[in-house]
Amino acid sequence: MRYSQQPNPEPVTDGDTGFLGVNALLDPALLGMDSALASAVSNSPDSRRVLMPGMVQDAQNCRFDDGKIACRAGTITPPDFNPSAGFGTIYGDGIFSDPNRREWLLVAVSDGVYRLGDGVAPTRKITFPAGETISGACELVQTFDTVLLFRGEDADVLEWDGTATAFTAITQTSSGTFTEAIPNADYAVVMAGRAFVPESRDQIAASDLADYTRWDSTLASFRINSGEDDSIVGLASYRRRILGVFKDQSIHMLINVEGDLSDVAVDEVSGEIGCVARKSIAGVGGDLLWLAPQGVMRFTEVVENSMVAQEVPVSEPIQPIIERINWQYASAACACVHDRFYHLAVPLDGATTNNAVLVYDTVTRQWQGYDTYATAASVAISRFRRTDYLGRRRRIALDYTAGKVYVCDFGRGEDELDGTLYDIAQSMTTRGYAAGDSGLKNWRHIAWSADTWRPSVTVTAVVEGVNETRPLRTSLTRDRSKYTVHGAGSVDITDPTELDNPHREDYAILADDAVVMDGATDLFPVREQHYEDGLPIREKSRWAAAKFENAQGTFALKSVTVNGTRKPNLGRLTS
């Protein structure tokens, strides 16, 4: 009796030469299989849930750019937008565009409203009428050349003409179709030449055409889903004269919002999907995105100008992150769309303020993971806005409690907050590389390539199981005084003629280097150097992945490759 010869192990290779986005929902081994195979492996006929190679399990403080997973840009506290004495508590904000097309950020504090602009000292404060102060949430809304200050149901709306030194009570125009005064409200949406405000939990009021001082509770008032137990959370204008009405348990539309409003009709979009946070609503192209109890949802235009709300959340690929939201405080979530990205600030992991920003690429329709800030910086985002700074349109973040205004997506590799530099901690975990099947493999080696600048990278091999990891590199750095070519000597970082030399390990120029060129201190931009590395992993598993954590500088992952063998079949017994 003898055993037949055991077959040689079959070599296997898998990996990614580019990256697309995050899918934290699926089995990591399914993220690179073709639809038919993955559906069979998962016993699911739903091939929609199977994505292409280039997906990763998670990413923090990353952007997927040109196939690379790069570090997000930095955030700063610009002096133009922050008075030297501070704001104290911020109660609200708005954007004002003057007749010269100059845009201003308006920030409301207890005794007035700051008018802040690019290149202008933050000293201009517009005061309130005598005896008036603010102690609660408010909203500044521009209608034509006037700014309205909404202070809630218990306080009259104030107005500012764009040039005066103070807000005033609203004076009704001498003529118009409507006769009633502007109702007190938390906010307004301006569209089709009118201002619309939520007048009660299920009622919307509209102003006279081109006249925000006149209203009519009979001719221009619309009840939404009357008699139901849900309340209006927010309003948002939409193309083709549609006003989206977001309630906490349903979504509706006012259609034909134009002219004398006689043709306005109310349509229900969904009776199953609601809205959690008014400030999470943001428009992009043909969609409105918002945070619902199910996750991030969107409107999509379909045939014959009808609208439906998609039942599957846009955020389904990051559902494990969505489930980490502290829903007790999610009503303060806020969002904006800037440079094709939908940025949604939410409270994660028991936080009571917005401590993380979920990022969605509206062009590729892929999630980028989420952004965070150093714990010591104590950043809590209350509102996003978009305005000009240093000649470019920028994303602005306001922290109402700390009384700070931040400019986001500025610089690379670090956040500069209140004069303190904080490194941006990146993290990314690749998909599970399974070499196209669900069988067991002996993984032998992993290799990767990246572009780096002043990095400190820890690399860990991850395999299937509970916390089954193997450290590969710990705090890997690159020496800016050395070359990658053997025998090239060292770099004199004080000599400007050597700073552009090729084949340096790292091109970091730090502020305390004081590199002098032509008698002036010259701070160089971030210039990343290509780096390749690889190590044995020696793990037995259905799949293998790699986790990269960068504690400083920038790290842009370009490719990952794993090699191993398939587990051979046992030889068969013969006579």
Side-chain angles (χ1 to χ4, degrees):
M1 187 178 296
R2 64 184 177 83
Y3 287 92
S4 64
Q5 184 176 0
Q6 187 168 333
N8 292 326
E10 178 187 353
V12 294
T13 299
D14 201 351
D16 286 310
T17 56
F19 300 93
L20 299 172
V22 174
N23 189 307
L25 179 66
L26 300 185
D27 181 329
L30 300 184
L31 292 178
M33 295 185 182
D34 64 77
S35 298
L37 177 59
S39 294
V41 170
S42 63
N43 296 317
S44 169
D46 187 2
S47 60
R48 171 187 56 79
R49 297 167 66 86
V50 181
L51 303 180
M52 65 290 293
M55 304 305 295
V56 301
Q57 299 180 52
D58 64 67
Q60 184 174 343
N61 289 320
C62 295
R63 293 294 181 273
F64 292 73
D65 184 27
D66 293 331
K68 298 187 291 186
I69 310 178
C71 181
R72 70 162 172 84
T75 297
I76 62 171
T77 313
D80 288 0
F81 290 164
N82 291 273
S84 58
F87 289 109
T89 300
I90 296 173
Y91 293 103
D93 62 273
I95 296 292
F96 171 63
S97 181
D98 68 24
N100 297 319
R101 299 182 181 178
R102 176 72 185 267
E103 198 168 83
W104 304 90
L105 175 66
L106 304 178
V107 175
V109 295
S110 62
D111 60 348
V113 174
Y114 281 91
R115 191 195 70 170
L116 309 171
D118 184 8
V120 178
T123 57
R124 172 78 185 275
K125 185 189 288 187
I126 308 154
T127 60
F128 298 141
E132 296 279 4
T133 59
I134 291 179
S135 59
C138 64
E139 185 103 353
L140 293 143
V141 178
Q142 181 170 357
T143 171
F144 301 103
D145 291 336
T146 300
V147 173
L148 303 180
L149 176 59
F150 291 89
R151 300 183 291 166
E153 298 178 358
D154 298 325
D156 293 340
V157 182
L158 302 178
E159 66 177 344
W160 175 58
D161 66 6
T163 60
T165 59
F167 280 82
T168 62
I170 291 178
T171 301
Q172 197 171 66
T173 55
S174 58
S175 62
T177 303
F178 299 164
T179 60
E180 299 173 22
I182 184 171
N184 299 339
D186 296 321
Y187 61 94
V189 170
V190 178
M191 66 173 293
R194 301 177 188 269
F196 293 81
V197 301
E199 197 172 22
S200 67
R201 62 189 298 272
D202 60 5
Q203 190 167 354
I204 297 171
S207 74
D208 204 346
L209 185 63
D211 188 348
Y212 60 87
T213 70
R214 291 179 170 270
W215 301 69
D216 192 307
S217 58
T218 302
L219 297 178
S221 182
F222 309 94
R223 288 201 174 273
I224 311 296
N225 209 22
S226 178
E228 299 297 327
D229 62 349
D230 56 348
S231 300
I232 295 174
V233 173
L235 308 174
S237 62
Y238 194 72
R239 60 179 182 172
R240 295 179 184 159
R241 305 307 185 193
I242 296 172
L243 179 68
V245 183
F246 296 79
K247 303 187 78 175
D248 55 15
Q249 299 175 47
S250 59
I251 307 296
H252 306 261
M253 297 181 300
L254 293 186
I255 61 174
N256 303 321
V257 180
E258 58 186 342
D260 62 3
L261 304 181
S262 60
D263 293 328
V264 170
V266 180
D267 277 0
E268 182 180 89
V269 177
S270 173
E272 304 296 327
I273 299 170
C275 180
V276 172
R278 172 175 68 89
K279 294 177 183 178
S280 73
I281 305 167
V284 52
D287 283 331
L288 286 172
L289 301 175
W290 76 95
L291 180 63
Q294 298 91 335
V296 177
M297 308 298 294
R298 70 182 174 205
F299 274 72
T300 302
E301 188 169 14
V302 294
V303 294
E304 298 179 351
N305 297 323
S306 64
M307 305 290 293
V308 298
Q310 295 186 349
E311 294 182 2
V312 178
V314 177
S315 58
E316 185 188 40
I318 60 165
Q319 190 60 33
I321 301 174
I322 295 295
E323 291 172 358
R324 292 165 53 191
I325 293 175
N326 185 352
W327 293 99
Q328 288 183 299
Y329 294 88
S331 61
C334 61
C336 77
V337 174
H338 179 70
D339 282 352
R340 87 175 193 244
F341 295 109
Y342 174 72
H343 303 265
L344 173 64
V346 294
L348 286 188
D349 302 328
T352 57
T353 56
N354 296 329
N355 64 336
V357 181
L358 313 185
V359 185
Y360 176 66
D361 188 329
T362 64
V363 175
T364 65
R365 299 198 172 191
Q366 300 290 349
W367 287 92
Q368 311 288 290
Y370 63 96
D371 297 345
T372 59
Y373 292 92
T375 302
S378 300
V379 174
I381 297 174
S382 308
R383 188 67 180 264
F384 284 122
R385 291 289 187 181
R386 297 175 68 244
T387 192
D388 298 329
Y389 180 69
L390 295 184
R392 286 188 57 188
R393 197 79 169 157
R394 308 278 184 177
R395 177 168 58 104
I396 306 296
L398 295 94
D399 183 337
Y400 286 180
T401 302
K404 300 293 180 183
V405 177
Y406 304 108
V407 171
C408 307
D409 312 316
F410 191 93
R412 296 180 64 191
E414 58 194 9
D415 296 319
E416 185 174 357
L417 306 173
D418 288 333
T420 301
L421 293 178
Y422 297 94
D423 290 310
I424 299 173
Q426 291 176 265
S427 176
M428 63 206 79
T429 304
T430 69
R431 64 184 174 95
Y433 299 115
D437 68 65
S438 61
L440 199 63
K441 292 99 181 170
N442 291 307
W443 298 107
R444 300 302 185 191
H445 188 267
I446 186 167
W448 65 90
S449 67
D451 290 337
T452 67
W453 176 83
R454 198 174 64 89
S456 178
V457 183
T458 295
V459 185
T460 305
V462 182
V463 296
E464 190 171 30
V466 179
N467 295 324
E468 294 193 25
T469 60
R470 178 187 291 272
L472 301 179
R473 293 286 193 198
T474 302
S475 302
L476 171 69
T477 59
R478 305 295 286 157
D479 193 335
R480 61 201 181 112
S481 68
K482 293 182 179 180
Y483 289 98
T484 60
V485 179
H486 180 69
S490 59
V491 180
D492 182 358
I493 60 174
T494 65
D495 184 354
T497 64
E498 296 192 22
L499 299 181
D500 289 326
N501 288 355
H503 307 302
R504 289 180 57 191
E505 283 194 9
D506 192 83
Y507 285 87
I509 303 295
L510 307 181
D512 55 5
D513 289 340
V515 177
V516 176
M517 299 186 69
D518 298 329
T521 298
D522 186 14
L523 299 182
F524 282 72
V526 172
R527 296 183 297 177
E528 294 176 325
Q529 175 65 294
H530 180 72
Y531 175 69
E532 297 181 2
D533 199 358
L535 282 172
I537 53 177
R538 300 185 183 90
E539 292 288 346
K540 183 178 293 187
S541 174
R542 187 167 64 108
W543 54 261
K547 182 175 184 178
F548 298 87
E549 299 169 280
N550 185 42
Q552 66 179 36
T554 67
F555 177 85
L557 184 65
K558 300 169 74 174
S559 67
V560 175
T561 303
V562 292
N563 297 294
T565 60
R566 298 183 197 280
K567 182 182 179 183
N569 294 322
L570 294 175
R572 61 184 175 85
L573 189 63
T574 63
S575 59

